[in-house]
Amino acid sequence: MNTRREIKNPVWHASLRNTKGDRTLTNDQWADIGQSFAEDMSFAEHPWVMVRHGDDHVHIVVSRVDDVGEVWHARNDRRAAQTACTKLEKAYGLKSAPRRREQMKQPVLVERENARFKAQRVASQCVLKEREAQDAAEKAAQRAKRRVSDFPNAPTTRSPGKKIVKSVREYVPPQPRRSSDLFRAMF
Protein backbone atom coordinates (compact mmCIF):
# COMPACT_ATOMS: atom_id res chain seq x y z
CA MET A 1 0.00 0.00 0.00
CA ASN A 2 2.94 2.32 0.58
CA THR A 3 3.83 2.08 -3.13
CA ARG A 4 0.46 3.58 -4.18
CA ARG A 5 -0.48 6.21 -1.60
CA GLU A 6 -2.96 7.88 -4.02
CA ILE A 7 -5.39 4.94 -3.70
CA LYS A 8 -8.16 6.16 -1.38
CA ASN A 9 -9.58 2.78 -0.34
CA PRO A 10 -6.67 0.34 -0.48
CA VAL A 11 -8.55 -2.47 1.33
CA TRP A 12 -11.68 -4.30 0.12
CA HIS A 13 -13.83 -6.38 2.50
CA ALA A 14 -16.62 -8.91 1.92
CA SER A 15 -18.34 -11.62 3.90
CA LEU A 16 -19.72 -14.94 2.66
CA ARG A 17 -22.50 -16.61 4.63
CA ASN A 18 -24.59 -19.77 4.38
CA THR A 19 -28.37 -19.57 4.66
CA LYS A 20 -29.98 -20.97 7.84
CA GLY A 21 -31.00 -24.21 6.14
CA ASP A 22 -27.54 -25.00 4.70
CA ARG A 23 -25.24 -27.66 6.04
CA THR A 24 -22.11 -26.72 7.98
CA LEU A 25 -19.08 -26.58 5.71
CA THR A 26 -15.64 -27.84 6.74
CA ASN A 27 -12.53 -25.66 6.89
CA ASP A 28 -11.23 -27.26 3.67
CA GLN A 29 -14.52 -26.50 1.89
CA TRP A 30 -14.42 -22.89 3.07
CA ALA A 31 -10.78 -22.63 1.88
CA ASP A 32 -11.78 -23.90 -1.57
CA ILE A 33 -14.74 -21.50 -1.64
CA GLY A 34 -12.45 -18.59 -0.73
CA GLN A 35 -9.94 -19.46 -3.46
CA SER A 36 -12.70 -19.85 -6.08
CA PHE A 37 -14.25 -16.55 -4.99
CA ALA A 38 -10.86 -14.77 -5.24
CA GLU A 39 -10.30 -16.15 -8.76
CA ASP A 40 -13.83 -15.23 -9.92
CA MET A 41 -13.44 -11.72 -8.50
CA SER A 42 -9.94 -11.37 -10.10
CA PHE A 43 -8.06 -10.52 -6.91
CA ALA A 44 -6.35 -13.92 -6.45
CA GLU A 45 -2.91 -12.40 -7.27
CA HIS A 46 -3.31 -9.71 -4.59
CA PRO A 47 -2.64 -10.26 -0.88
CA TRP A 48 -5.86 -11.43 0.77
CA VAL A 49 -6.95 -13.27 3.89
CA MET A 50 -10.10 -15.17 4.85
CA VAL A 51 -11.21 -15.55 8.48
CA ARG A 52 -13.90 -17.95 9.66
CA HIS A 53 -15.95 -16.44 12.50
CA GLY A 54 -18.49 -19.20 12.95
CA ASP A 55 -19.96 -22.28 11.35
CA ASP A 56 -21.91 -20.28 8.79
CA HIS A 57 -19.73 -17.40 7.57
CA VAL A 58 -16.29 -16.08 6.65
CA HIS A 59 -14.81 -12.62 6.09
CA ILE A 60 -12.47 -11.85 3.21
CA VAL A 61 -10.11 -8.86 3.30
CA VAL A 62 -8.15 -7.93 0.16
CA SER A 63 -5.32 -5.48 -0.42
CA ARG A 64 -6.28 -3.75 -3.65
CA VAL A 65 -2.61 -2.95 -4.28
CA ASP A 66 -0.36 -5.97 -4.94
CA ASP A 67 3.36 -6.38 -4.23
CA VAL A 68 4.46 -4.63 -7.44
CA GLY A 69 1.98 -1.73 -7.12
CA GLU A 70 -0.73 -3.03 -9.48
CA VAL A 71 -4.25 -2.00 -8.40
CA TRP A 72 -7.34 -4.21 -8.42
CA HIS A 73 -10.09 -1.73 -9.28
CA ALA A 74 -13.09 -3.78 -8.07
CA ARG A 75 -15.35 -2.33 -10.74
CA ASN A 76 -18.88 -3.76 -10.60
CA ASP A 77 -17.82 -5.73 -7.53
CA ARG A 78 -21.38 -6.31 -6.30
CA ARG A 79 -22.49 -7.85 -9.58
CA ALA A 80 -19.32 -9.95 -9.85
CA ALA A 81 -19.68 -11.12 -6.24
CA GLN A 82 -23.29 -12.16 -6.80
CA THR A 83 -22.30 -14.09 -9.92
CA ALA A 84 -19.44 -15.79 -8.05
CA CYS A 85 -21.73 -16.66 -5.12
CA THR A 86 -24.36 -18.14 -7.44
CA LYS A 87 -21.66 -20.31 -9.03
CA LEU A 88 -20.44 -21.45 -5.58
CA GLU A 89 -23.98 -22.21 -4.37
CA LYS A 90 -24.52 -24.50 -7.36
CA ALA A 91 -21.09 -26.15 -7.05
CA TYR A 92 -21.51 -26.96 -3.33
CA GLY A 93 -25.24 -27.74 -3.38
CA LEU A 94 -26.17 -24.82 -1.12
CA LYS A 95 -29.45 -22.94 -1.01
CA SER A 96 -29.58 -19.78 -3.07
CA ALA A 97 -29.45 -16.70 -0.84
CA PRO A 98 -31.73 -13.78 -1.72
CA ARG A 99 -30.07 -11.06 -3.77
CA ARG A 100 -30.63 -7.33 -3.32
CA ARG A 101 -31.64 -6.80 -6.93
CA GLU A 102 -34.03 -9.53 -8.03
CA GLN A 103 -35.39 -7.65 -11.05
CA MET A 104 -33.69 -7.47 -14.39
CA LYS A 105 -32.29 -4.07 -15.18
CA GLN A 106 -34.45 -2.24 -17.71
CA PRO A 107 -33.02 -0.75 -20.90
CA VAL A 108 -32.04 2.90 -20.68
CA LEU A 109 -34.86 3.98 -23.03
CA VAL A 110 -37.47 2.34 -20.79
CA GLU A 111 -35.95 3.96 -17.69
CA ARG A 112 -35.99 7.36 -19.39
CA GLU A 113 -39.63 6.90 -20.43
CA ASN A 114 -40.55 5.92 -16.87
CA ALA A 115 -38.74 8.97 -15.52
CA ARG A 116 -40.51 11.20 -18.05
CA PHE A 117 -43.88 9.71 -17.07
CA LYS A 118 -43.18 10.26 -13.36
CA ALA A 119 -42.13 13.86 -14.03
CA GLN A 120 -45.35 14.49 -15.97
CA ARG A 121 -47.41 12.95 -13.19
CA VAL A 122 -45.71 15.13 -10.57
CA ALA A 123 -46.21 18.22 -12.75
CA SER A 124 -49.92 17.44 -13.22
CA GLN A 125 -50.31 16.93 -9.45
CA CYS A 126 -48.68 20.34 -8.85
CA VAL A 127 -51.05 21.98 -11.34
CA LEU A 128 -54.03 20.29 -9.67
CA LYS A 129 -52.92 21.50 -6.22
CA GLU A 130 -52.48 25.03 -7.55
CA ARG A 131 -56.00 24.95 -9.01
CA GLU A 132 -57.42 23.69 -5.73
CA ALA A 133 -55.62 26.48 -3.86
CA GLN A 134 -56.98 29.09 -6.32
CA ASP A 135 -60.52 27.69 -5.98
CA ALA A 136 -60.26 27.78 -2.20
CA ALA A 137 -59.02 31.39 -2.31
CA GLU A 138 -61.89 32.39 -4.65
CA LYS A 139 -64.47 30.72 -2.40
CA ALA A 140 -63.02 32.46 0.65
CA ALA A 141 -63.20 35.80 -1.18
CA GLN A 142 -66.85 35.13 -2.16
CA ARG A 143 -67.75 34.25 1.44
CA ALA A 144 -66.09 37.43 2.66
CA LYS A 145 -67.97 39.47 0.05
CA ARG A 146 -71.31 37.92 1.09
CA ARG A 147 -70.53 38.59 4.73
CA VAL A 148 -69.93 42.25 3.96
CA SER A 149 -73.14 42.57 1.92
CA ASP A 150 -75.26 40.70 4.49
CA PHE A 151 -74.03 42.71 7.42
CA PRO A 152 -73.78 46.43 6.62
CA ASN A 153 -72.67 47.14 10.17
CA ALA A 154 -69.92 44.92 11.34
CA PRO A 155 -70.96 42.77 14.33
CA THR A 156 -68.53 44.56 16.63
CA THR A 157 -70.04 48.03 16.10
CA ARG A 158 -73.37 49.42 17.38
CA SER A 159 -75.91 51.32 15.34
CA PRO A 160 -75.57 55.10 15.80
CA GLY A 161 -79.08 55.63 17.31
CA LYS A 162 -78.68 53.27 20.23
CA LYS A 163 -76.42 54.17 23.07
CA ILE A 164 -75.75 52.16 26.16
CA VAL A 165 -76.35 54.13 29.30
CA LYS A 166 -74.92 52.80 32.46
CA SER A 167 -77.05 53.35 35.54
CA VAL A 168 -75.21 53.64 38.79
CA ARG A 169 -77.06 53.02 42.05
CA GLU A 170 -75.66 53.26 45.45
CA TYR A 171 -75.45 50.12 47.46
CA VAL A 172 -77.87 50.09 50.36
CA PRO A 173 -77.47 47.26 52.84
CA PRO A 174 -80.68 45.48 53.80
CA GLN A 175 -82.43 46.71 56.99
CA PRO A 176 -83.29 44.25 59.74
CA ARG A 177 -87.06 43.69 59.87
CA ARG A 178 -89.14 44.40 62.85
CA SER A 179 -91.55 41.84 64.23
CA SER A 180 -94.55 44.08 63.53
CA ASP A 181 -93.59 44.16 59.81
CA LEU A 182 -93.52 40.39 59.77
CA PHE A 183 -96.99 40.24 61.34
CA ARG A 184 -98.46 42.53 58.68
CA ALA A 185 -96.80 40.53 55.89
CA MET A 186 -98.41 37.33 57.17
CA PHE A 187 -101.98 38.69 57.20
Side-chain angles (χ1 to χ4, degrees):
M1 286 189 287
N2 291 333
T3 61
R4 298 294 298 269
R5 293 184 185 272
E6 75 275 9
I7 303 300
K8 289 185 179 179
N9 298 315
V11 176
W12 185 83
H13 172 263
S15 62
L16 303 176
R17 178 181 298 271
N18 287 354
T19 60
K20 289 183 181 180
D22 280 334
R23 60 185 162 75
T24 302
L25 299 173
T26 65
N27 287 337
D28 290 336
Q29 289 173 324
W30 275 117
D32 290 340
I33 287 173
Q35 185 63 42
S36 296
F37 186 76
E39 290 169 3
D40 290 342
M41 293 293 292
S42 303
F43 64 76
E45 301 301 320
H46 289 257
W48 65 277
V49 64
M50 182 173 72
V51 178
R52 183 175 182 179
H53 279 281
D55 291 338
D56 63 342
H57 75 283
V58 295
H59 290 264
I60 298 175
V61 180
V62 181
S63 172
R64 291 184 49 226
V65 181
D66 69 5
D67 296 333
V68 293
E70 294 294 319
V71 178
W72 174 63
H73 289 286
R75 291 185 184 100
N76 297 318
D77 60 336
R78 177 177 287 153
R79 184 176 294 163
Q82 287 180 352
T83 303
C85 287
T86 301
K87 180 180 167 186
L88 291 168
E89 288 166 349
K90 288 178 183 175
Y92 286 87
L94 303 171
K95 292 183 181 178
S96 180
R99 304 290 188 244
R100 286 189 178 175
R101 177 175 259 174
E102 295 282 329
Q103 303 174 11
M104 293 294 292
K105 188 172 181 177
Q106 296 180 348
V108 173
L109 293 176
V110 173
E111 288 182 9
R112 285 182 186 157
E113 188 62 31
N114 287 343
R116 209 175 289 130
F117 173 73
K118 287 178 184 177
Q120 288 173 348
R121 187 174 58 188
V122 168
S124 65
Q125 288 174 348
C126 288
V127 168
L128 183 63
K129 286 182 180 181
E130 287 176 13
R131 284 184 193 160
E132 289 174 353
Q134 286 175 350
D135 289 345
E138 288 174 6
K139 287 180 182 179
Q142 288 173 354
R143 283 193 303 268
K145 189 176 181 181
R146 274 188 296 213
R147 237 183 269 127
V148 169
S149 65
D150 290 346
F151 302 107
N153 297 323
T156 57
T157 61
R158 302 237 178 236
S159 59
K162 296 182 181 177
K163 291 186 179 178
I164 298 177
V165 178
K166 292 183 180 179
S167 62
V168 180
R169 284 193 267 164
E170 250 184 72
Y171 175 72
V172 179
Q175 299 284 328
R177 293 187 175 198
R178 293 180 285 173
S179 61
S180 61
D181 292 337
L182 287 174
F183 184 72
R184 281 188 213 147
M186 288 173 70
F187 295 105

